[in-house]
């Protein structure tokens, strides 16, 4: 089967690497791809925003399945147009992708179906938003309604900060994403990411992970798209996972099917594990980046088989996905300046010497025969271990072999879980 993969990040490199392991794969094409993806796919120069050109390419090259990695083409309705032309697509149509494309859409759906999430108010002008603030205590969370690359969330500690955040949003600081806002209650707890595959009817859990969104060690500094992740996230215990599935994901998928806009693809639930149980922070209509990289390292099932079943509505006929009983951990190497304007063109060498780690490429390109940085997040150094400490050790020793002078990375990926394990080992010793 010929497949077209849309996207150019570390997430898509991990997907390409895994798809390439499938015995069912014919040709793999990627648009636009990156030098890492090019090891597994033929890169094609079509713009996924040009739906007509994408359809024509698929017709000409006998593509049967299109895998859409990032959110923008989903929210833009690429899947709808491909489905109309008879292609199998991994990724939701435009309306169900509103779960990610509009925070207000998701909050209203949660409210209608009793899905646990933070109490909220939607506002589409500054005066209404300021008035709504009266009903919240501080800190309060202010979110741009639309897509903002993970950066449209401000946690305001005081009325002054909240006022400033609203001014930024309504003055266009987040582009059109901020022309409407959601104001919500601040939730206390630890975050975890939970993934499920669904064809609109059948839902299967697809693993957990924990991301590290802040740019600096110890979870300091501004939010990023994610500086590192590990999977599984044991903080999401089997009991909490069952609750997230039955109280959050299942009612969401059912609600979208009932309104005639079924969700098909991977549904990524960002959860806050509160004292009252898991609550939804946000949905993403795609795999997380870098969470996908750690899921793919652990996945044992045939990814192409799973994606085809999701796209064609046959998920119920497949055995549940199987994952290695090991921990995968990835460290993002980013370019200096990220999450602001990253330094581009910085040379990268030594990735061949990564040992047991797998290096997924994100913002890279080739210039004059050498690999250089071309985006904010550049490499994802990913390793598998029997414990999280072992996976971390392997990832960081691979980083030591990489020479990327204009890059930086967090040194503490996995710290929450490692601290928890150290504490429980200490306790066991004290009891023993
Ligand atoms: P989002 O883009 O909605 O995932 O928000 C980005 C980050 O902001 C989340 O990963 C959380 O760390 C934080 N956040 C968002 N909403 C809340 C909330 N209601 N309470 C506490 N933290 C939040
Ligand atoms: N790493 C967070 C995301 O992909 O949304």
């Amino acid at each position: 089967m010929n497949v077209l993969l849309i996207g150019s990040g570390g997430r898509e490199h991990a997907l390409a690497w895994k798809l390439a392991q499938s015995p069912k794969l014919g040709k793999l094409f990627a648009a636009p791809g990156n030098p890492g993806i090019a090891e597994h796919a033929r890169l094609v120069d079509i713009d996924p925003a040009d739906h007509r050109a994408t359809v024509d390419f698929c017709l000409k090259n006998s593509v049967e399945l299109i895998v859409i990695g990032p959110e923008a083409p989903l929210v833009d309705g690429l899947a709808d147009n491909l489905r109309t032309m008879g292609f199998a697509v991994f990724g939701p149509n435009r309306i169900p992708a509103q779960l990610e494309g509009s925070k207000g859409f998701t909050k209203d759906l949660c409210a209608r179906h009793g899905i646990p999430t933070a109490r909220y108010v939607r506002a589409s002008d500054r005066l209404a938003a300021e008035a709504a603030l009266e009903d919240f205590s501080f800190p309060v969370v202010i979110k741009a309604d639309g897509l903002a690359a993970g950066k449209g969330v401000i946690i305001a500690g005081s009325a002054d900060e909240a006022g400033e955040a609203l001014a930024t949003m309504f003055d266009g600081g987040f582009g059109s994403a901020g022309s409407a806002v959601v104001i919500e209650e601040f939730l206390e707890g630890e975050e975890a990411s939970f993934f499920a595959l669904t064809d609109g009817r059948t839902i299967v859990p697809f693993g957990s992970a924990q991301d590290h969104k802040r740019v600096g060690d110890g979870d300091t500094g501004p939010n990023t798209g994610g500086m590192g992740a590990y999977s599984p996230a044991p903080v999401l215990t089997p009991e909490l996972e069952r609750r997230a599935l039955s109280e959050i994901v299942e009612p969401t998928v059912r609600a979208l099917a009932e309104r005639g806009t079924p969700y098909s693809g991977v549904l990524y639930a960002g959860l806050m594990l509160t004292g009252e149980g898991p609550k939804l922070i946000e949905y993403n209509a795609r795999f997380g980046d870098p969470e996908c990289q750690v899921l793919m390292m652990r996945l044992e099932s045939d990814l192409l088989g799973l994606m085809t079943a999701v796209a064609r509505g046959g998920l119920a006929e497949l055995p549940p996905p199987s994952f290695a009983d090991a921990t995968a951990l990835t460290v993002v190497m980013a370019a200096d300046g990220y999450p602001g304007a990253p330094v581009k063109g910085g040379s990268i060498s030594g990735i061949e010497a990564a040992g047991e780690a797998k290096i997924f490429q994100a913002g890279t390109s080739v210039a004059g025969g050498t690999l250089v940085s071309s985006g904010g997040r550049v490499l994802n150094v990913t390793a598998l271990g029997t414990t999280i400490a072992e996976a971390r050790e392997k990832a960081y020793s691979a980083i030591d072999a990489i020479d990327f002078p204009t890059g930086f990375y967090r040194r503490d990926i996995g710290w929450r879980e490692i601290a928890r394990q150290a504490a429980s080992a200490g306790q066991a010793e004290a009891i023993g």
Side-chain angles (χ1 to χ4, degrees):
M1 177 189 286
N2 294 348
V3 177
L4 171 64
L5 172 65
I6 306 282
S8 64
R11 166 181 52 211
E12 287 77 23
H13 187 179
L15 293 174
W17 171 73
K18 200 70 204 172
L19 285 170
Q21 295 169 21
S22 173
K24 301 190 186 90
L25 184 70
K27 286 188 197 133
L28 180 61
F29 302 100
N34 70 32
I37 295 170
E39 290 164 22
H40 310 289
R42 201 184 100 204
L43 304 192
V44 294
D45 189 20
I46 45 174
D47 177 4
D50 186 343
H51 296 185
R52 189 56 194 268
T54 309
V55 166
D56 285 348
F57 177 86
C58 293
L59 288 171
K60 263 195 217 117
N61 292 278
S62 309
V63 169
E64 285 176 72
L65 174 73
I66 297 96
V67 175
I68 303 180
E71 61 277 18
L74 295 167
V75 170
D76 188 37
L78 177 60
D80 308 56
N81 284 323
L82 289 164
R83 285 198 173 97
T84 303
M85 294 302 292
F87 295 108
V89 181
F90 184 84
N93 278 352
R94 187 178 62 82
I95 291 177
Q98 288 298 299
L99 284 184
E100 175 162 9
S102 165
K103 297 199 187 279
F105 174 94
T106 298
K107 298 298 282 193
D108 287 354
L109 186 140
C110 288
R112 277 197 306 275
H113 297 274
I115 295 169
T117 188
R119 185 171 66 80
Y120 75 105
V121 172
R122 295 177 79 169
S124 52
D125 65 72
R126 194 168 156 183
L127 273 179
E130 278 167 359
L133 276 180
E134 307 277 321
D135 297 335
F136 292 87
S137 55
F138 296 100
V140 69
V141 185
I142 299 177
K143 301 184 173 183
D145 186 77
L147 292 184
K151 293 166 196 159
V153 174
I154 297 173
I155 297 173
S158 65
D160 281 351
E161 277 176 40
E164 251 172 65
L166 291 174
T168 307
M169 301 239 172
F170 288 110
D171 288 345
F174 294 93
S176 59
S179 61
V181 301
V182 168
I183 298 173
E184 65 180 45
E185 143 203 37
F186 180 80
L187 297 175
E188 303 268 3
E190 186 166 338
E191 288 179 57
S193 307
F194 174 55
F195 300 85
L197 296 180
T198 177
D199 56 13
R201 279 179 313 228
T202 304
I203 304 169
V204 299
F206 200 64
S208 64
Q210 191 170 59
D211 191 10
H212 298 64
K213 288 203 167 119
R214 303 297 197 95
V215 73
D217 285 358
D219 291 336
T220 53
N223 264 326
T224 68
M227 293 299 292
Y230 61 90
S231 170
V235 67
L236 189 71
T237 60
E239 170 58 16
L240 291 176
E241 181 174 317
R242 263 193 299 280
R243 287 187 64 183
L245 190 63
S246 67
E247 296 171 18
I248 298 175
V249 173
E250 282 173 2
T252 302
V253 170
R254 227 180 304 122
L256 288 170
E258 276 161 12
R259 69 196 286 280
T261 56
Y263 188 99
S264 169
V266 58
L267 184 57
Y268 162 169
L271 303 175
M272 188 69 87
L273 306 178
T274 73
E276 295 161 29
K279 293 192 180 181
L280 182 70
I281 301 176
E282 62 157 0
Y283 274 130
N284 294 310
R286 44 151 181 102
F287 281 113
D289 187 346
E291 294 94 320
C292 183
Q293 290 81 316
V294 284
L295 291 178
M296 291 304 122
M297 285 294 274
R298 292 181 50 230
L299 182 65
E300 292 171 333
S301 311
D302 176 27
L303 179 64
L304 181 52
L306 283 167
M307 287 183 151
T308 310
V310 167
R312 293 193 174 143
L315 201 48
E317 283 103 71
L318 283 193
S322 132
F323 287 94
D325 187 18
T327 297
L329 182 142
T330 189
V331 181
V332 171
M333 296 184 84
D336 287 341
Y338 182 75
V343 174
K344 292 189 182 169
S347 67
I348 301 159
S349 59
I351 66 172
E352 322 65 39
E356 284 179 76
K358 174 77 201 155
I359 315 271
F360 296 115
Q361 296 186 33
T364 59
S365 62
V366 176
T370 43
L371 194 65
V372 299
S373 65
S374 63
R377 293 186 293 169
V378 179
L379 301 175
N380 312 138
V381 183
T382 315
L384 209 52
T386 49
T387 61
I388 185 170
E390 187 188 324
R392 180 181 63 165
E393 167 66 31
K394 285 186 192 166
Y396 282 105
S397 58
I399 283 185
D400 288 341
I402 295 172
D403 192 28
F404 176 28
T406 56
F408 72 97
Y409 56 91
R410 275 183 61 164
R411 289 159 201 277
D412 64 345
I413 300 303
W415 70 271
R416 284 177 198 278
E417 187 54 30
I418 286 165
R420 209 171 357 246
Q421 290 190 5
S424 68
Q427 249 169 21
E429 221 165 85
I431 293 165

